């Protein structure tokens, strides 16, 4: 599409020159894909130094001077949007677009608003937001296949071994029909044959050959498994390290969620293909060619007759595979529906019983179970129809050979042994055809999987470490300057947020849920990059700091404490893997975690995480506090859980926190007064903007203040609780 | 916050549009400025249960719900027309009339189509989640950008399209 756009743009530029606009002064150009609401077409918007020019496809245009524009913004509907211009109190739509260009629209609207405000815009196209959902890389069929194969040559020895075995097996496979046909009947059994009576040697040779084939098969399987295993290991390693380097936005997008879920099964698909599909495909293809050539040399007429059913067989297999796939897929869908009904009722058993809905649930289960059973029957019926048909057509091929060949034998044009050889080869021929058609399906699966996997590997990270990133000793001054941010285009989450935290200060972030508090911390740790404005640590833009330096300087105690699978000791040492056991215990003691850890039978070696011991919310939180204490970072970010803890746990956590925040720059997202009162300053966030700033006392007593209202509500709740 | 849903009396509504057909509302004689209208059950009811919200230009101010219109055709004809136009814009989901080319490759599919809104080419990935089949052979498609397309009757589509979609339906 890229090429087309520039061509269009050239055309547009020519038109502009005709209108008397100096094209050299153009700052940015946007082409939308609708010419009016709900109609595909094109509207061109041009950012000039002092005005915005809007050009319709029919050549009509209008120009708005920035002086008269209050601002420009977008409205997003179900799968389209409008760019709206505000001039004083008047609103008008200037252009419409679909989601296909929304990222570009956001970029352009941003530029115009900068120009309106008299600021220098960043019009570089590179600043268009990269959104995992918004770009789709099509690797192309051939490139994809070659890329999968490109992993193979790293294992040259394996490859050579596999190829030799394949060639050898193919050749050896061709011998038995000849021996049990021409040789057996014409030379061994016939009275004037060359090897008359030599039954025993013949049988021995046949046994030896099948033994050899089995041996080769085992060898091929082993080498193939080793090679494909390693290739898959390579691919998985590459995917995993690519994933670790991607920005957070990649992981939170829905589409990539699906992508990630499938990586393991995708890797398996590729492995199956490389392991079984590809070698067998080559063997079978080679066998078919070899047999074909051989048959033609022996008896051209008969070979043509033999080959007649082949296309018919291929066609039937291809058609039926598609049908089977569809039925199988439906079965799969229906069984997962059934499973989710079971899951629902088991997990929600209290709700089901409380509402007396057992009957409804039984009905729901029966219905989905019935649908599944029906589909299983369809599966059986389809199989029962196709396979007899196939064997009938294959036997038809045999009958043709018997009929035509029999005639030739009677006329003496063909020996009986040769006829038997033909029949033997015939059976060797049809099996590979069946296999080849199926391999095609396999191949498609493998390429689908490869496409998804390479999409992850190739994804450009949106939060990248600068090449000349600096490494400094962080003191802990934090400053946000005019920060604007949105997770998705056109849904601004933070708007022009500015505040600073001095070294050693503790600032509490307060606000309703969804106000954007956690988002602010995400930007300070650079899990995401700001859209506008800057985040500074000790006066240095976080984009200029190395990841090691940035993240090594910030300790996090998060709302949803994540503990990795491993021991408690290992979890505490996550941020400082070289910590001694004494340091770990020391940190746990300070975090008021030591006591409960020691009362566990396995102490610091207690396994937690999946399959390990279950810890309470308060215990998990104290472990993560210990983690932060051990790491001893100059900056601490604390995202407090809203769920209330019992008084004793709360006071312990409070004490742990008191220790933790001492001599450290702290940003605490807190809900409890006990935490908030300790803060040097509070910053109140409301709908993505900072609305109040000051100490707890100042804000608490401020009439009609946001914080004051929130605090009084909470106080009332506490009073009600204690009086009841 | 309103405690109860306000089912609007149509006599209280007076819609008007700007030159560029943005929708504005006078409610009980008071000018509320620009409003947005939202289908409560977009799949079930297209013209019934329409939420009307006052929309401040800043996306930070919470949109304000004025109430629910039970059915668009309770409005006088000229007023209903304005609402239908706005619905058409907000729920822009073109109907696919014909398909000139379908390419399926590696779990993604590319269509060249003619829709009720003009010609359109689009690409879909992850067909399992982006093909949604509705009642009566209707199918909704979502492309890589999140744009939606609508097929009123899949059985009337060309063979190739049916073949690509059938396993997901
Ligand atoms: N990963 C994400 N993708 C898209 N939107 C998000 C994401 N995380 C948070 N949001 C949205 O951003 C807003 C602010 O969220 P957040 O910063 O978590 O609020 P708070 O921490 O103040 O409760 C919310 O509207 C939320 O829905
Ligand atoms: Mg939060």
């Amino acid at each position: 599409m890229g090429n087309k756009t520039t061509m269009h743009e050239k055309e547009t530029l020519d038109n502009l020159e005709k209108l008397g606009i100096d094209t050299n002064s153009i700052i940015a150009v946007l082409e939308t894909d609708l010419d009016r609401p709900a109609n595909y077409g094109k509207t061109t918007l041009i950012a000039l130094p002092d005005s915005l020019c809007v050009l319709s496809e029919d050549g009509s245009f209008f120009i708005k001077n920035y002086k008269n524009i209050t601002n420009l913004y977008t409205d997003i509907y179900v799968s389209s949007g409008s760019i709206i211009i505000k001039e004083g109190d008047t609103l008008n739509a200037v252009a419409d677009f679909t989601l296909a260009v929304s990222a570009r629209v956001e970029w352009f609207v941003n530029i115009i608003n900068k120009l309106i405000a008299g600021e220098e815009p960043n019009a570089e196209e590179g600043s268009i937001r990269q959104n995992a959902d918004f770009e789709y890389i099509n690797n192309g069929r051939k490139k994809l296949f070659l890329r999968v194969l490109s992993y193979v040559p790293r294992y040259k020895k394996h490859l050579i071994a596999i190829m030799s075995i394949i060639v050898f097996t193919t050749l050896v496979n061709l011998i038995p029909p000849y021996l049990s046909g021409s040789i057996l009947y014409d030379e061994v059994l016939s009275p004037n044959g060359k090897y008359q009576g030599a039954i025993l040697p013949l049988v021995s040779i046949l046994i030896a050959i099948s033994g050899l084939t089995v041996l080769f098969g085992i060898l091929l399987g082993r080498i193939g498994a080793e090679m494909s295993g390693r290739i898959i290991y390579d691919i998985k390693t590459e995917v995993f390290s690519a994933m670790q380097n991607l920005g957070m936005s990649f992981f939170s997008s829905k589409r990539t969620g699906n992508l990630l879920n499938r990586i393991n099964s995708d890797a398996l698909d590729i492995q199956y293909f490389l392991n079984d599909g590809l070698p067998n495909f080559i063997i079978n293809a080679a066998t078919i060619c070899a047999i074909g050539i051989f048959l033609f040399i022996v008896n051209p007429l008969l070979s043509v007759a033999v080959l007649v059913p082949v296309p018919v067989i291929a066609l039937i297999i291809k058609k039926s595979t598609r049908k089977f796939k569809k039925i199988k897929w439906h079965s799969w869908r229906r069984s997962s529906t059934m499973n989710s009904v079971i899951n629902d009722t088991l997990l929600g058993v209290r709700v089901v019983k409380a509402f007396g809905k057992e009957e409804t649930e039984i009905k729901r289960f029966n219905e989905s179970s019935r649908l599944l059973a029906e589909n299983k029957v369809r599966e059986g019926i389809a199989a029962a129809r196709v396979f007899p048909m196939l064997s009938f057509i294959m036997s038809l091929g045999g009958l043709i050979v018997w009929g035509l060949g029999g005639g030739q034998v009677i006329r003496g044009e063909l020996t009986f042994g040769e006829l038997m050889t033909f029949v033997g080869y015939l059976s060797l021929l049809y099996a590979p055809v069946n296999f080849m058609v199926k391999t095609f399906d396999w191949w498609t699966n493998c390429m689908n999987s490869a496409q998804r996997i390479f999409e992850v590997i190739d994804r450009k990270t949106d939060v990248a470490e600068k090449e000349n990133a600096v490494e400094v000793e962080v003191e802990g001054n934090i400053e946000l300057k005019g920060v604007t941010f949105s997770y998705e285009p056109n849904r601004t989450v933070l708007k022009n947020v500015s505040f600073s935290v001095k070294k050693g200060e503790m600032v509490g972030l307060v606000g309703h849920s969804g106000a954007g508090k956690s988002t602010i911390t995400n930007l300070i740790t650079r899990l995401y990059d700001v859209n506008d404005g800057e985040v500074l640590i000790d006066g240095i833009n976080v984009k200029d700091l190395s990841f090691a330096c940035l993240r090594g300087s910030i300790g996090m105690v998060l709302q949803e404490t994540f503990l990795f699978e491993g021991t408690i000791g290992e979890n505490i040492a996550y941020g400082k893997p070289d910590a001694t056991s004494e340091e770990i215990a020391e940190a746990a003691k300070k975090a008021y975690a030591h006591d409960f850890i020691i009362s566990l039978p396995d102490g610091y070696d207690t396994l937690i995480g999946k399959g390990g011991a279950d810890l309470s919310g308060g215990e998990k939180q104290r472990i993560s506090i210990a983690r932060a204490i051990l790491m001893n970072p100059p900056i601490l970010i604390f995202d407090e859980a809203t769920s209330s803890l019992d008084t004793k746990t709360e006071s312990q956590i409070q004490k742990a926190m008191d220790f933790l925040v001492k001599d450290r720059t702290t940003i605490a997202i807190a809900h409890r007064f006990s935490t908030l009162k300790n803060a040097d300053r509070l910053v109140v966030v409301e709908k993505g903007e900072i609305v109040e700033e000051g100490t707890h006392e100042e804000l608490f007593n401020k009439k009609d203040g946001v914080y004051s209202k929130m605090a009084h509500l909470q106080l009332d709740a506490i009073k009600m609780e204690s009086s009841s | 916050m309103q405690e109860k849903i306000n089912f609007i009396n149509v006599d209280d509504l007076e819609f008007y549009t700007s030159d560029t057909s943005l929708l504005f509302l006078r409610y009980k004689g008071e000018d509320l400025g620009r409003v947005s209208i939202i289908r409560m059950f977009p799949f079930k009811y297209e013209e019934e249960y329409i939420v009307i919200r006052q929309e401040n230009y800043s996306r930070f101010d919470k949109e304000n719900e004025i109430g629910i219109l039970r059915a668009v055709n309770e409005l006088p004809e000229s007023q209903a027309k304005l609402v239908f136009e706005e619905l058409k814009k907000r729920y822009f989901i073109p109907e696919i009339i014909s398909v000139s080319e379908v390419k399926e490759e590696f779990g993604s599919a590319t269509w060249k189509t003619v829709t009720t809104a003009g010609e359109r080419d689009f690409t879909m990935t992850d067909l399992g989640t982006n093909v949604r089949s509705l009642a009566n052979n209707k199918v909704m498609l979502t492309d890589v950008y999140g744009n939606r397309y609508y097929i009123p009757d899949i059985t009337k589509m060309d063979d190739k399209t049916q073949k690509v979609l059938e396993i997901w339906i």
Side-chain angles (χ1 to χ4, degrees):
Chain A
M1 230 198 251
N3 286 339
K4 240 195 224 158
T5 319
T6 46
M7 263 212 9
H8 272 307
E9 275 174 0
K10 208 172 252 164
E11 228 170 84
T12 311
L13 292 186
D14 290 345
N15 284 338
L16 283 178
E17 257 167 5
K18 276 180 216 147
L19 296 176
I21 289 170
D22 175 11
T23 49
N24 292 322
S25 68
I26 290 175
I27 293 165
V29 177
L30 169 73
E31 292 190 334
T32 71
D33 51 357
L34 295 177
D35 56 5
R36 59 190 145 91
N39 197 60
Y40 295 126
K42 187 178 84 177
T43 312
T44 311
L45 284 80
I46 297 146
L48 297 166
D50 58 353
S51 57
L52 166 70
C53 174
V54 181
L55 207 69
S56 303
E57 222 166 352
D58 60 16
S60 66
F61 71 102
F62 60 87
I63 292 178
K64 300 262 182 191
N65 198 297
Y66 295 142
K67 273 187 235 139
N68 305 325
I69 307 179
T70 315
N71 75 340
L72 208 65
Y73 67 95
T74 55
D75 258 9
I76 298 288
Y77 314 129
V78 173
S79 72
S80 63
S82 303
I83 301 175
I84 303 204
I85 191 168
K86 185 171 195 266
E87 294 163 284
D89 286 333
T90 335
L91 294 179
N92 273 303
V94 286
D96 299 274
F97 57 91
T98 76
L99 299 182
V101 292
S102 65
R104 243 188 110 80
V105 167
E106 188 197 24
W107 160 82
F108 186 83
V109 166
N110 230 330
I111 290 175
I112 296 290
N113 281 328
K114 279 268 158 97
L115 290 168
I116 292 169
E119 292 166 27
E120 190 70 29
N122 175 13
E124 263 174 57
E125 308 250 335
S127 63
I128 295 176
R129 165 188 295 277
Q130 301 274 330
N131 187 319
D133 266 350
F134 280 65
E135 40 171 338
Y136 164 68
I137 311 154
N138 190 347
N139 279 300
R141 194 176 282 254
K142 209 169 128 198
K143 240 170 84 191
L144 210 58
F145 185 53
L146 290 179
R147 188 154 165 201
V148 172
L149 289 185
S150 75
Y151 286 88
V152 177
R154 294 182 202 171
Y155 303 98
K156 277 211 186 76
K157 273 190 220 149
H158 291 86
L159 194 66
I160 292 170
I162 287 176
M163 290 317 281
S164 344
I165 294 175
I166 286 177
V167 171
F168 219 75
T169 315
T170 312
L171 290 177
V172 169
N173 269 340
L174 291 179
I175 302 173
Y178 185 67
L179 289 184
S180 55
S182 295
I183 300 288
L184 178 67
Y185 291 103
D186 298 346
E187 311 293 350
V188 178
L189 294 180
S190 115
N192 42 13
K194 239 196 262 172
Y195 315 110
Q196 202 238 331
I199 280 282
L200 204 62
L202 186 75
V203 172
S204 317
I205 292 175
L206 281 174
I207 290 175
I209 286 177
S210 44
L212 209 60
T213 322
V214 171
L215 210 69
F216 278 151
I218 294 173
L219 211 60
L220 187 69
R222 276 188 64 155
I223 300 174
E226 196 177 312
M227 183 180 79
S228 67
R230 287 199 194 173
I231 289 174
I232 287 313
Y233 171 79
D234 287 354
I235 294 181
K236 276 190 185 165
T237 313
E238 211 172 308
V239 172
F240 192 73
S241 48
M243 267 162 48
Q244 295 295 315
N245 292 328
L246 287 167
M248 280 297 292
S249 60
F250 177 81
F251 296 94
S252 48
S253 118
K254 178 171 156 271
R255 191 163 116 66
T256 45
N258 288 335
L259 228 77
L260 293 181
N261 281 338
R262 293 164 73 160
I263 277 187
N264 229 350
S265 71
D266 282 344
L268 270 181
D269 266 344
I270 298 180
Q271 184 168 11
Y272 285 146
F273 178 72
L274 289 176
N275 207 8
D276 296 338
L278 201 59
N280 281 317
F281 180 83
I282 300 175
I283 291 184
N284 286 309
T287 309
I288 291 177
C289 289
I291 293 176
I293 292 169
F294 184 86
L295 292 185
F296 261 99
I297 294 171
V298 174
N299 192 324
L301 176 72
L302 216 47
S303 344
V304 173
V306 166
L307 291 177
V308 168
V310 169
V312 183
I313 291 171
L315 201 75
I316 292 178
I317 295 173
K318 193 168 157 30
K319 281 255 171 201
S320 59
T321 331
R322 184 136 201 143
K323 188 161 179 183
F324 278 133
K325 210 164 121 188
K326 186 179 154 186
I327 299 177
K328 281 242 162 69
W329 168 254
H330 282 164
S331 284
W332 183 82
R333 289 252 280 231
R334 286 174 182 189
S335 78
S336 63
T337 312
M338 195 181 80
N339 286 335
S340 67
V341 172
I342 296 175
N343 234 346
D344 274 6
T345 36
L346 290 185
L347 291 176
V349 67
R350 286 185 62 188
V351 183
V352 174
K353 290 210 177 294
F355 281 82
K357 286 284 187 187
E358 291 94 337
E359 283 298 318
T360 327
E361 290 302 324
I362 291 172
K363 267 202 204 109
R364 208 153 71 100
F365 175 79
N366 280 348
E367 177 62 15
S368 66
S369 169
R370 187 181 60 81
L371 284 173
L372 179 62
E374 265 173 18
N375 215 58
K376 286 284 177 199
V377 171
R378 276 177 58 205
E379 233 179 281
I381 291 176
R385 196 162 40 204
V386 171
F387 291 116
M389 201 148 83
L390 271 183
S391 45
F392 171 70
I393 292 175
M394 285 186 196
S395 63
L396 217 60
L399 292 178
I400 295 175
V401 172
W402 280 114
L404 276 178
Q408 287 185 326
V409 171
I410 290 167
R411 287 193 297 276
E413 295 161 8
L414 192 75
T415 65
F416 181 63
E418 277 168 343
L419 180 62
M420 289 313 288
T421 309
F422 244 92
V423 175
Y425 281 131
L426 192 68
S427 60
L428 268 192
L429 189 63
Y430 289 153
V433 170
N434 184 0
F435 188 88
M436 296 285 276
V437 177
K438 290 222 169 108
T439 322
F440 182 76
D441 233 48
W442 241 351
W443 185 74
T444 323
N445 270 352
C446 167
M447 290 301 115
N448 286 347
S449 300
Q451 161 80 28
R452 285 193 290 263
I453 282 193
F454 292 144
E455 241 183 286
V456 176
I457 293 180
D458 293 347
R459 176 86 56 206
K460 281 197 207 74
T461 170
D462 41 2
V463 180
E465 189 171 21
K466 262 201 183 157
E467 253 174 57
N468 47 359
V470 293
E471 195 97 25
V472 292
E473 190 72 35
V474 168
E475 292 195 4
N477 294 297
I478 303 172
E479 188 175 7
L480 271 75
K481 269 191 190 164
V483 166
T484 297
F485 176 77
S486 60
Y487 290 101
E488 297 148 21
N490 305 305
R491 259 201 73 222
T492 314
V493 171
L494 293 180
K495 191 181 175 192
N496 203 11
V497 167
S498 302
F499 70 93
S500 59
V501 188
K502 279 195 215 57
K503 182 187 164 191
E505 203 181 11
M506 175 175 177
V507 163
L509 283 182
V510 218
H512 292 107
S513 140
K517 305 177 297 286
S518 302
T519 306
I520 290 178
T521 66
N522 286 344
L523 296 177
I524 295 172
T525 48
R526 217 181 154 212
L527 293 181
Y528 295 85
D529 269 340
V530 298
N531 297 25
D532 205 0
E534 49 192 2
V535 178
L536 306 170
I537 288 183
D538 291 346
I540 306 167
N541 194 323
V542 287
K543 288 182 185 171
D544 296 328
L545 285 171
S546 77
F547 280 163
C549 167
L550 177 66
R551 296 190 182 147
S553 312
I554 302 177
M556 300 257 263
V557 178
L558 292 182
Q559 210 164 35
E560 309 117 28
T561 304
F562 188 80
L563 299 179
F564 293 93
E565 225 176 312
T567 68
I568 288 184
E570 286 162 2
N571 263 287
I572 293 177
Y574 188 72
K576 193 186 176 192
D578 56 351
T580 64
S581 305
E582 284 154 39
E583 284 174 315
I584 292 174
E586 196 70 44
K589 184 85 190 168
K590 283 173 184 151
Y592 288 81
H594 180 73
D595 277 353
F596 90 78
I597 296 173
I598 288 303
S599 3
L600 295 167
D602 298 340
Y604 281 88
D605 288 332
T606 304
L607 281 174
I608 46 177
K610 208 173 81 199
D614 260 339
L615 299 179
S616 75
E619 288 165 345
K620 281 186 192 164
Q621 206 165 18
R622 275 174 283 169
I623 288 183
S624 74
I625 291 176
R627 210 187 247 170
I629 289 178
L630 184 60
M631 190 182 159
N632 194 20
I635 298 171
L636 181 76
I637 288 175
F638 181 67
D639 200 338
E640 188 184 61
T642 16
S643 60
S644 55
L645 301 161
D646 60 90
T647 337
K648 183 170 166 244
T649 316
E650 192 175 325
S651 81
Q652 282 182 343
I653 288 183
Q654 192 49 52
K655 283 185 207 150
M657 279 297 297
D658 289 347
F659 177 83
L660 190 53
V661 304
K662 232 183 335 189
D663 303 324
R664 248 184 265 278
T665 310
T666 306
I667 294 182
I669 300 178
H671 309 279
R672 282 187 280 263
F673 279 120
S674 46
T675 319
L676 292 173
K677 274 184 193 152
N678 280 350
D680 298 310
R681 213 149 38 89
L682 300 180
V683 172
V684 184
V685 189
E686 174 93 335
K687 290 167 191 158
E689 283 177 291
I690 291 185
V691 286
E692 284 168 17
E693 238 183 295
T695 63
H696 170 72
E697 278 73 31
E698 281 168 24
L699 297 182
F700 189 77
N701 298 322
K702 189 174 159 191
K703 255 213 175 100
D704 284 334
V706 177
Y707 180 72
S708 170
K709 272 190 211 156
M710 276 174 68
H712 280 104
L713 264 176
Q714 199 180 343
L715 274 183
D716 289 348
I718 292 171
K719 268 184 213 148
M720 265 167 67
E721 246 172 52
S722 49
S723 68
S724 64
Chain B
M1 235 185 296
Q2 258 165 320
E3 309 266 309
K4 247 176 76 181
I5 281 184
N6 173 28
F7 285 102
I8 294 173
N9 180 352
V10 290
D11 298 332
D12 294 337
L13 293 172
E14 191 193 335
F15 291 104
Y16 63 99
T17 54
S18 71
D19 303 343
T20 47
S21 63
L22 297 179
L23 193 68
F24 297 83
L25 175 68
R26 268 187 286 274
Y27 181 60
K28 295 185 175 164
E30 186 193 354
D31 196 334
L32 296 183
R34 187 151 178 243
V35 288
S36 59
I37 52 178
I38 297 158
R39 286 180 179 139
M40 280 175 74
F41 305 96
F43 290 118
K44 233 156 113 193
Y45 303 113
E46 295 192 353
E47 302 174 6
E48 286 94 29
Y49 299 108
I50 307 288
V51 176
I52 305 176
R53 278 178 170 181
Q54 183 178 9
E55 195 177 277
N56 203 314
Y57 84 90
S58 158
R59 301 199 66 84
F60 282 96
D61 296 320
K62 254 220 176 84
E63 286 146 319
N64 217 347
E65 181 163 321
I66 297 161
I68 294 170
L69 178 61
R70 276 213 173 85
V72 180
N73 54 24
E74 282 179 16
L75 290 165
E77 202 171 323
S78 63
Q79 287 278 296
K81 206 177 139 223
L82 297 181
V83 174
F84 282 136
E85 277 302 310
E86 182 74 8
L87 283 174
K88 191 176 142 198
K89 176 170 88 185
R90 287 197 180 254
Y91 292 86
F92 170 52
I93 301 175
E95 210 172 274
I96 295 175
I97 300 169
S98 68
V99 176
S100 61
E101 201 187 314
V102 192
K103 240 171 58 192
E104 192 193 13
E105 211 175 42
F106 313 137
S108 79
T110 309
W111 266 266
K112 281 191 196 312
T113 66
V114 178
T115 73
T116 44
E119 283 177 32
R120 180 72 161 186
D121 304 348
F122 61 91
T123 303
M124 292 173 63
T125 53
D126 213 349
L127 302 182
T129 36
N130 289 321
V131 178
R132 176 170 176 185
S133 69
L134 308 169
N136 304 330
N137 298 324
K138 289 179 199 163
V139 177
M140 185 83 81
L141 306 180
T142 308
D143 75 4
V144 285
Y145 299 106
N147 289 317
R148 299 200 193 161
Y149 308 88
Y150 174 73
I151 299 174
D153 186 351
I154 182 71
T155 59
K156 297 209 172 86
M157 294 306 284
D158 60 306
D159 289 350
K160 188 77 202 285
T161 300
Q162 286 197 36
K163 219 167 162 183
V164 171
L165 294 181
E166 73 182 349
I167 117 159
W168 308 108
I169 292 167

